[in-house]
Amino acid sequence: MLTKDAPGSGASKPKPKPAKVKAEPPPKKRKKWLKEAVSSSDSDSSPDQQSEEEHVPTVHILNTRAMKEMYRSYVEMLVSTALDPDMIQALEDTNDELYLPPMRKIDGILNDHKKKVLKRVSLNPSLQEALHMFPQLHAETCDTTVKLLPGGDPYNRKTLNKLKKNVSKPQEFSVEAENSLFYTLYHSLHHYKYHTFLRCKDETTAIEGQDEDLGQEEVVQQCMRNQPWLEKLFDSFSELLTQAQSKCA
């Protein structure tokens, strides 16, 4: 007579459940990325580290997530300033931790590249003052020389607001043609922040023109959702620094 085996007798042991693989941590928040990027500022570096960093290709530095996030915050600050002329001063007054560090870092990068240009060409005081004062620069080639004519409305470098005081008409300068590129490059680096601010102002004006009922916050959000526009700004920034790096190497 056949008998049934007791339940579980002779049966293979159940396989142990595989251990759960821990999920990857979520991407770091933008504020933390910004802090990491800013923590490597030149002011915290030793002279030896700074000299080594001068040889690091600009393209490599720019092609990092931290740098792109920092630049995005920089643009967001300029967009907000385009809508509120008192924005930068308010950030300074409150010692803002989100927008001020990226702004100062980007400003520092631009200043470092200006110094590289000055190693290749000397500026007499009157020309340098004119290049600093006026945000536009017209260059006209004349045989072996180039005529530089600064122009545009002077502005406050800190707040980016136009100056209310009257300034004398800029004079024309004649420079050697072979060095003209360094003067225009220096001018572009010096006024990059203001030129980008004007591009942000054009964008906010266009958005407000489509819907006058939008609040400032929504206008800022629409600007920051425009990825092609943001990428175009970043590409211009990258090209300017790359040009300075290659011409002044």
Side-chain angles (χ1 to χ4, degrees):
M1 182 176 179
L2 297 175
T3 59
K4 293 183 179 180
D5 293 333
S9 63
S12 59
K13 295 182 180 180
K15 295 181 180 180
K17 293 182 179 180
K20 289 184 178 180
V21 179
K22 289 185 178 181
E24 290 292 326
K28 297 177 181 178
K29 293 182 179 179
R30 177 154 60 104
K31 190 170 183 179
K32 192 168 184 180
W33 273 103
L34 295 175
K35 284 185 176 180
E36 289 180 352
V38 175
S39 66
S40 61
S41 62
D42 295 339
S43 59
D44 297 332
S45 303
S46 66
D48 291 339
Q49 288 175 322
Q50 290 181 22
S51 61
E52 290 176 1
E53 288 172 358
E54 288 181 355
H55 299 289
V56 178
T58 301
V59 176
H60 175 72
I61 296 174
L62 290 170
N63 193 27
T64 61
R65 178 177 174 180
M67 176 60 76
K68 290 179 179 179
E69 289 285 358
M70 182 168 62
Y71 184 81
R72 180 183 176 86
S73 180
Y74 180 77
V75 171
E76 189 172 345
M77 179 274 299
L78 291 178
V79 169
S80 299
T81 304
L83 295 166
D84 181 2
D86 299 323
M87 174 60 67
I88 295 179
Q89 187 60 56
L91 295 176
E92 294 280 0
D93 292 342
T94 58
N95 197 26
D96 178 84
E97 294 184 355
L98 181 60
Y99 293 113
L100 283 185
M103 181 185 76
R104 289 168 178 165
K105 178 64 176 178
I106 298 292
D107 288 348
I109 291 173
L110 292 166
N111 283 331
D112 286 344
H113 283 72
K114 279 169 55 181
K115 292 176 183 177
K116 292 178 181 179
V117 176
L118 291 178
K119 290 180 180 179
R120 298 298 304 272
V121 68
S122 60
L123 290 175
N124 65 61
S126 58
L127 174 55
Q128 186 170 32
E129 182 181 1
L131 292 178
H132 284 183
M133 178 72 70
F134 299 97
Q136 296 177 11
L137 183 64
H138 176 71
E140 181 180 343
T141 304
C142 304
D143 296 328
T144 59
T145 62
V146 172
K147 290 182 179 180
L148 299 178
L149 181 59
D153 296 323
Y155 62 96
N156 184 305
R157 285 269 294 167
K158 183 177 181 180
T159 65
L160 303 181
N161 295 325
K162 290 183 180 180
L163 293 180
K164 296 180 180 179
K165 65 178 183 180
N166 294 325
V167 295
S168 57
K169 186 178 179 180
Q171 68 180 92
E172 188 178 87
F173 298 88
S174 181
V175 299
E176 295 179 354
E178 60 182 11
N179 290 330
S180 62
L181 175 63
F182 294 114
Y183 296 110
T184 56
L185 185 56
Y186 180 87
H187 183 267
S188 296
L189 289 165
H190 185 80
H191 295 285
Y192 174 81
K193 186 177 185 178
Y194 183 67
H195 291 160
T196 305
F197 162 74
L198 293 180
R199 294 174 72 174
C200 292
K201 197 169 185 63
D202 288 342
E203 186 70 10
T204 58
T205 300
I207 293 174
E208 289 178 319
Q210 295 172 1
D211 189 347
E212 297 179 355
D213 296 329
L214 288 177
Q216 288 189 6
E217 185 176 347
E218 179 58 30
V219 174
V220 173
Q221 290 177 359
Q222 284 201 29
C223 286
M224 303 314 293
R225 285 197 295 264
N226 189 344
Q227 195 61 31
W229 179 71
L230 291 172
E231 289 178 357
K232 190 173 182 179
L233 288 179
F234 186 76
D235 288 345
S236 297
F237 177 65
S238 301
E239 289 169 6
L240 178 61
L241 297 188
T242 301
Q243 184 183 21
Q245 184 84 11
S246 61
K247 298 298 181 183
C248 303

